[in-house]
Amino acid sequence: QVQLVESGGGLVQPGGSLRLSCAASGSSFSIHVWGWYRQAPGKQRELVATLTSGGSTDYADSVKGRFTISDDSAKNTVYLQMNSLRPNDTAVYYCQAYYVGRYYWGQGTQVTVSA
């Protein structure tokens, strides 16, 4: 059973930066695919970024050029560096891991972008 623990959310002004972290425990091998999702109030959860074990990344159009997903395989941790944050980036951000045929989710971390 894989457990994911996220950290790094908070309140930031427009134009600011935050880095989210998500650490996996309970896996014997590296996570196959990492993903970051977000859900704003009243909206569906949406994909933000993905990272495969081979190093391939993909981003939602709304965050391209501003967000970067990366990992530290030795720590089994994924990061989401968020720059040039906008008020409409405000959401609960969730980490997802695909491992041995199953998807696992973190508990979510709140990101609020406001002046």
Side-chain angles (χ1 to χ4, degrees), residues 103-114:
Y103 290 95
Y104 298 88
W105 290 92
Q107 81 285 358
T109 185
Q110 177 70 47
V111 172
T112 302
V113 185
S114 175

Side-chain angles (χ1 to χ4, degrees), residues 8-87:
L11 174 64
V12 64
Q13 293 186 340
S17 298
L18 281 176
R19 189 177 82 154
L20 306 183
S21 300
C22 174
S25 61
S27 61
S28 301
F29 306 101
S30 296
I31 298 297
H32 302 156
V33 182
W34 289 106
W36 283 100
Y37 289 73
R38 66 186 181 186
Q39 188 167 17
K43 294 188 176 181
Q44 290 188 330
R45 191 173 298 189
E46 64 175 358
L47 176 65
V48 176
T50 59
L51 171 66
T52 71
S53 57
S56 297
T57 59
D58 196 18
Y59 296 92
D61 288 342
S62 59
V63 306
K64 282 181 181 176
R66 301 187 298 122
F67 290 11
T68 303
I69 187 171
S70 63
D71 72 335
D72 183 337
S73 57
K75 296 181 179 179
N76 233 0
T77 297
V78 68
Y79 306 97
L80 185 68
Q81 178 67 43
M82 305 185 293
N83 299 328
S84 303
L85 283 161
R86 305 166 179 168

